[in-house]
Amino acid sequence: MLLAVDVGNTKIKVAVFEGSNLVERFDFYSSDLQKQIEFTLNKYQNTTDLVVASVGNIPKEAFLAFEKQLKIHFITHDSTFPFHNKYATPHSLGIDRMVLACGAVLNFPKQNRLVIDAGTCITYDFIDENDNYLGGAISPGIRLRYESLHHFTAKLPLLTLDLFKENLNAIDEDDFIGNSTSSAIHSGVLNGVQNEIEGFIAQYQRVYPKFIIILTGGDTEFLAKRLKNTIFANSNFLLESLNQTFQYKNQND
């Protein structure tokens, strides 16, 4: 069994895999890393390998502490990937974006692919049908947009996506004209994200008439219901791609 660990900007996401089958997933904060991994290894004692993809600030030593129990693997820029990295600054490309690109190539061969990861940041990654990673875009995610409106103004309240969901009866999610400060913030953040994503998709469509859209990240379920384009939505796509990247690396190194 394999323990796949995605260290993100906000949380650590962990999944247990048996072959290609995702057995269980856990999310937690960095302060709980040791306790959660110990708990998982105790629960799944047949785990033989742990693979890490990180864009966070967790030191490698935190994972190497478990190397007596299982083999530790780190996905880095020097790992083997099934695409050609055409990024102008290839070693600045986030490991999470490289893992997503790997998953897109392996799951959707010989197609143009746009991967949209809606998490702390919203990242866009485009890999063409010839497996060239061309680049994409990075913008603030939903939570960052709410927080920035509060932190960089004097009087705007701190709202969240959860508050929007709790007040759906009072706020029409299809009404873009906010008639209060709260509803105006929700409209600006959520319609802004939706229009941004659909705008990016339209830009790509002008150059690449046919491509598959993969939506993942923590806000996948919410956004998938609002977007008008046909997409493949899978909130576990990064973890599944990390498992596939590990398998691909083992077979091709």
Side-chain angles (χ1 to χ4, degrees):
M1 301 183 82
L2 172 72
L3 189 60
V5 182
D6 165 36
V7 181
N9 292 298
T10 304
K11 286 186 176 183
I12 297 174
K13 281 80 71 177
V14 173
V16 179
F17 286 92
E18 188 163 17
S20 60
N21 181 45
L22 195 160
V23 179
E24 189 169 2
R25 170 181 168 158
F26 306 89
D27 292 6
F28 50 85
Y29 292 101
S30 58
S31 58
D32 296 324
L33 175 66
Q34 183 172 356
K35 179 179 67 176
Q36 289 292 338
I37 290 185
E38 287 176 351
F39 170 80
T40 305
L41 293 179
N42 185 59
K43 184 175 182 179
Y44 297 99
Q45 297 185 10
N46 291 331
T47 304
T48 58
D49 296 88
L50 184 153
V51 60
V52 182
S54 175
V55 296
N57 295 317
I58 304 295
K60 285 187 174 182
E61 288 72 21
F63 297 101
L64 293 175
F66 297 95
E67 63 183 345
K68 291 183 179 180
Q69 298 171 255
L70 70 177
K71 297 178 182 177
I72 312 295
H73 312 267
F74 297 96
I75 302 300
T76 71
H77 291 94
D78 297 321
S79 298
T80 304
F81 293 94
F83 58 84
H84 312 289
N85 191 345
K86 300 295 184 179
Y87 215 47
T89 54
H91 277 78
S92 73
L93 180 60
I95 292 297
D96 55 340
R97 299 173 70 188
M98 297 183 73
V99 168
L100 288 169
C102 179
V105 169
L106 296 177
N107 284 285
F108 304 99
K110 305 302 179 183
Q111 299 182 58
N112 294 316
R113 314 94 166 168
L114 175 63
V115 185
I116 304 171
D117 185 4
T120 303
C121 295
I122 302 174
T123 59
Y124 303 81
D125 297 289
F126 195 83
I127 312 96
D128 71 16
E129 62 186 354
N130 296 314
D131 297 338
N132 295 306
Y133 176 89
L134 302 182
I138 305 171
S139 71
I142 290 176
R143 182 177 64 84
L144 282 184
R145 297 183 195 217
Y146 279 124
E147 290 180 352
S148 65
L149 287 172
H150 173 66
H151 292 310
F152 294 102
T153 62
K155 296 184 178 180
L156 291 181
L158 176 59
L159 303 182
T160 64
L161 180 56
D162 287 338
L163 283 175
F164 174 79
K165 294 175 181 177
E166 290 172 7
N167 291 279
L168 276 180
N169 291 332
I171 304 171
D172 185 352
E173 63 177 317
D174 294 321
D175 186 0
F176 61 90
I177 303 176
N179 63 0
S180 68
T181 298
S182 292
S183 62
I185 291 173
H186 285 307
S187 177
V189 170
L190 301 177
N191 286 307
V193 167
Q194 179 180 341
N195 289 329
E196 174 195 301
I197 293 175
E198 291 178 341
F200 269 117
I201 291 171
Q203 283 184 315
Y204 280 102
Q205 286 173 334
R206 287 194 285 271
V207 181
Y208 300 91
K210 187 176 181 181
F211 58 90
I212 187 166
I213 304 164
I214 305 158
L215 176 65
T216 191
D219 293 323
T220 298
E221 183 178 351
F222 175 79
L223 289 172
K225 296 175 181 178
R226 297 173 65 94
L227 296 173
K228 299 172 184 177
N229 290 276
T230 301
I231 59 175
F232 172 78
N234 179 1
S235 60
N236 291 321
F237 190 72
L238 196 154
L239 287 167
E240 292 174 0
S241 297
L242 181 52
N243 180 40
Q244 291 177 312
T245 301
F246 170 76
Q247 304 296 343
Y248 182 87
K249 179 178 178 295
N250 281 352
Q251 293 168 9
N252 291 276
D253 278 353

